């Protein structure tokens, strides 16, 4: 499997290349060159798999056994989930009226990022050991990412992790999660300022290409393809748990509500949909509503400042992974995506081209709508069994809140 940049200029890379890259050299994000199509038979076979089983199948599909043999891949994934508290790793709780909650919080730090980061760290360690290399992961955090990244990397032989922790901006529990891991390879620094201000020095460091190369620095944020890949399994697992039978024509549609900040899990769901999973995606944002404005009005523009809400993990100005969504929407058109993103980087404000926005509405609006929950947000991923009824806002229970991750 090859990966190409959404901006079409950088040379293609394999999974290992994408795993270590973060951004592509042309500023884009890596995406699979071709998306496989899963047929009904494959979906039926997958429908009885456990959550780790689904992660294994999806990773095998997108990594390639010449790079990572299947049995070794399976071991890495088993190791990644070995410290989860729930025997299923991910659990679907059934509420009333066909409403379900996908419990993604059974990892060590309780953040759903534990799932994808633990696998990603295993992949990194695997390739580093094989190539006898070492990296230092540098992470700024508003809470969830720091804890989960530390947990996934702690004790790894070929990795160190440096976390910048904005003092007073994380919860007490998160602060303790970050400062009480006594492993040689974990380095946490308390810093002044909020997570936006914290991004500045990190950006400066990563802009110094020679420095980054000399010290083998990398980031582990949600633009990393490996994280998106693993998150596809959430959608497959939820789908199969919600569909009692796959004998109907067409296959049943399940609606998944994705709380989003950087649109990582959303991009994962959209790719899952593109390769054949019959889901309808609903994006939940908080007052940081750039994705809402983009879908409704084609207005992809920064607001003045990040607004603090109860769900700090979603208090994000720039939803990086929307670039992947735009690329998919445009039919893998890297020219359109590049023009759009470069204009956004220059002016921080883009009106989506009509063709793109209308495509979204006509073809994908049915599959992607946006729900806004003022102040707080839905911090749960919901699958709605059975055919669609009415609009998103009439589904009860979506105001359930889990603040701050
Ligand atoms: C990271 C995080 C999000 C945002 O996830 P993305 O898929 O990157 O948008 C939302 N909620 C919680 C609790 C998180 O930790």
């Amino acid at each position: 499997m090859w990966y190409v940049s959404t901006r079409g200029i950088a040379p293609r890379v394999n999974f290992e290349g994408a795993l270590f890259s973060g951004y592509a050299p042309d500023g884009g994000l890596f995406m699979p060159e071709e998306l496989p199509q899963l047929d009904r038979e494959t979906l039926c076979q997958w429908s009885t798999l456990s959550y780790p089983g689904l992660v294994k199948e999806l990773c095998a599909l997108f990594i390639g056994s010449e790079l990572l043999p299947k049995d070794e891949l399976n071991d890495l994934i088993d190791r990644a989930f070995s410290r989860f508290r729930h025997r299923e790793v991910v659990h679907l709780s059934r509420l009333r009226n066909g409403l379900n909650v996908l419990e993604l919080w059974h990892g060590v730090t309780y953040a759903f990022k534990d799932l994808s980061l633990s696998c990603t760290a295993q992949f990194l360690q695997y390739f580093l050991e094989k190539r006898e290399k070492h990296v230092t992961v540098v992470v700024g955090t508003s809470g969830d990412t720091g804890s989960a990244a530390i947990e996934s990397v702690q004790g790894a032989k070929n990795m160190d992790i440096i976390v910048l922790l904005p003092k007073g901006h994380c919860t007490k529990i998160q602060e303790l999660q970050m400062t009480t891991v006594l492993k040689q390879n974990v380095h946490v620094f308390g810093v002044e300022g909020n997570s936006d201000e914290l991004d500045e020095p990190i950006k400066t460091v990563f802009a110094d290409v020679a420095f980054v190369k000399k010290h083998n620095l990398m980031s582990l944020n949600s633009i990393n393809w490996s994280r998106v890949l693993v998150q596809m399994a959430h959608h497959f697992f939820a789908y199969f748990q919600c569909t009692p039978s796959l004998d109907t024509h067409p296959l049943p549609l399940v609606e998944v509500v994705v709380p989003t900040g950087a649109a990582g899990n959303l991009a994962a769901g959209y790719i899952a949909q593109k390769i054949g999973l019959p889901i309808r995606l609903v994006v939940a944002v908080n007052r940081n509503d750039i994705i809402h404005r983009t879908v409704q009005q084609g207005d992809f523009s920064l607001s003045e400042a990040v607004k603090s809400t109860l769900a700090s993990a979603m208090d994000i100005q720039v939803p990086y992974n929307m670039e992947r969504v735009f690329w998919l929407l445009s039919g893998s058109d890297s020219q359109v995506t590049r023009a759009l993103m470069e204009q956004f980087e220059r002016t921080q404000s883009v009106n989506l081209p009509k063709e793109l926005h209308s495509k979204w509405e006509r073809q994908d609006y049915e599959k992607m709508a946006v729900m806004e929950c003022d102040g707080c947000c839905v911090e749960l991923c919901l699958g709605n069994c059975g055919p669609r009824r009415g609009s998103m806002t009439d589904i009860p229970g979506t105001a359930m809140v889990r603040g701050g991750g």
Side-chain angles (χ1 to χ4, degrees):
M1 170 73 73
W2 291 99
Y3 291 88
V4 293
S5 165
T6 46
R7 302 200 189 174
I9 295 175
R12 63 181 194 171
V13 296
N14 63 13
F15 175 78
E16 185 181 354
L19 176 68
F20 282 93
S21 300
Y23 286 100
D26 58 7
L29 302 180
F30 283 112
M31 283 292 276
E33 188 170 40
E34 277 164 37
L35 289 178
Q37 287 302 313
L38 303 176
D39 53 20
R40 181 182 283 265
E41 202 183 322
T42 310
L43 288 176
C44 285
Q45 279 166 4
W46 286 16
S47 66
T48 55
L49 293 177
S50 63
Y51 174 84
L54 285 167
V55 175
K56 289 171 189 173
E57 289 304 322
L58 280 162
C59 288
L61 197 63
F62 283 94
I63 296 176
S65 58
E66 68 294 345
L67 205 57
L68 182 47
K70 189 76 200 294
D71 48 342
E72 294 189 68
L73 168 69
N74 291 351
D75 286 349
L76 294 180
I77 290 168
D78 287 334
R79 215 171 301 151
F81 297 139
S82 61
R83 279 158 49 83
F84 277 63
R85 293 180 309 272
H86 198 290
R87 67 188 153 72
E88 289 178 89
V89 180
V90 165
H91 176 71
L92 187 95
S93 251
R94 294 170 200 281
L95 308 183
R96 274 190 287 179
N97 303 331
L99 194 65
N100 303 279
V101 175
L102 191 62
E103 299 177 1
L104 299 168
W105 60 74
H106 296 297
V108 173
T109 77
Y110 295 80
F112 90 91
K113 295 176 174 66
D114 282 335
L115 290 154
S116 59
L117 274 170
S118 60
C119 294
T120 302
Q122 291 293 331
F123 297 151
L124 289 168
Q125 175 60 31
Y126 173 83
F127 289 113
L128 288 167
E129 209 168 309
K130 210 161 136 180
R131 316 274 180 233
E132 297 180 17
K133 284 195 172 150
H134 179 277
V135 293
T136 299
V137 174
V138 181
V139 176
T141 187
S142 57
D144 290 20
T145 305
S147 314
I150 287 174
E151 165 54 29
S152 68
V153 168
Q154 54 109 352
K157 278 199 292 267
N158 302 46
M159 288 188 264
D160 273 59
I161 182 164
I162 295 174
V163 173
L164 304 187
L165 189 172
K167 280 193 278 184
H169 291 273
C170 300
T171 65
K172 190 75 196 160
I173 289 174
Q174 288 169 330
E175 221 171 285
L176 288 170
Q177 282 176 337
M178 286 185 256
T179 52
T180 54
V181 179
L182 302 175
K183 288 281 167 43
Q184 293 280 329
N185 70 333
V186 175
H187 319 276
V188 180
F189 298 91
V191 297
E192 313 284 340
N194 62 28
S195 65
D196 262 9
E197 287 160 339
L198 171 67
D199 276 345
E200 291 303 318
I202 294 180
K203 260 190 223 151
T204 313
V205 165
F206 279 103
D208 188 339
V209 179
F211 185 82
V212 167
K213 202 159 176 191
K214 182 167 165 217
H215 297 281
N216 288 325
L217 300 186
M218 68 175 292
S219 156
L220 255 191
N221 59 18
S222 74
I223 61 165
N224 194 293
W225 162 251
S226 165
R227 288 183 59 180
V228 176
L229 167 59
V230 173
Q231 295 187 119
M232 285 165 66
H234 308 349
H235 299 270
F236 278 87
F237 184 75
Y239 181 80
F240 294 131
Q241 293 280 310
C242 285
T243 44
S245 155
L246 295 181
D247 292 336
T248 57
H249 289 265
L251 288 167
L253 185 70
V254 169
E255 183 167 81
V256 184
V257 180
V258 186
T260 204
N265 202 15
L266 173 67
Y270 197 19
I271 300 168
Q273 191 191 87
K274 285 271 179 199
I275 67 174
L277 193 71
I279 52 173
R280 176 181 193 268
L281 290 163
V282 177
V283 193
V285 297
N286 58 23
R287 275 178 294 157
N288 297 287
D289 66 346
I290 176 168
I291 301 180
H292 178 243
R293 285 183 281 110
T294 305
V295 179
Q296 298 296 0
Q297 302 142 34
D299 171 25
F300 188 58
S301 63
L302 278 197
S303 54
E304 247 151 53
V306 178
K307 300 183 182 96
S308 291
T309 72
L310 286 176
S312 58
M314 291 165 60
D315 294 349
I316 289 179
Q317 278 265 65
V318 183
Y320 310 101
N321 280 291
M322 284 304 280
E323 179 160 349
R324 289 191 161 108
V325 173
F326 293 147
W327 185 79
L328 289 169
L329 263 180
S330 70
S332 321
D333 190 328
S334 53
Q335 258 175 328
V336 168
T337 311
R338 185 169 75 243
L340 195 83
M341 294 311 299
E342 285 181 354
Q343 194 193 334
F344 179 74
E345 279 159 8
R346 270 195 313 273
T347 62
Q348 319 227 297
S349 168
V350 180
N351 277 320
L352 289 201
K354 278 227 166 53
E355 312 85 71
L356 201 64
H357 188 231
S358 63
K359 229 182 230 168
W360 194 321
E361 282 177 332
R362 274 188 222 122
Q363 287 178 14
D364 296 294
Y365 192 67
E366 267 307 303
K367 298 175 203 134
M368 272 185 154
V370 167
M371 176 178 59
E372 200 180 3
C373 318
D374 198 37
C376 323
C377 67
V378 184
E379 274 292 14
L380 302 161
C381 193
L382 308 167
N384 180 21
C385 296
R388 282 281 310 131
R389 314 152 310 183
S391 73
M392 184 54 221
T393 42
D394 65 12
I395 295 177
T398 49
M400 294 175 80
V401 172
R402 199 167 63 92

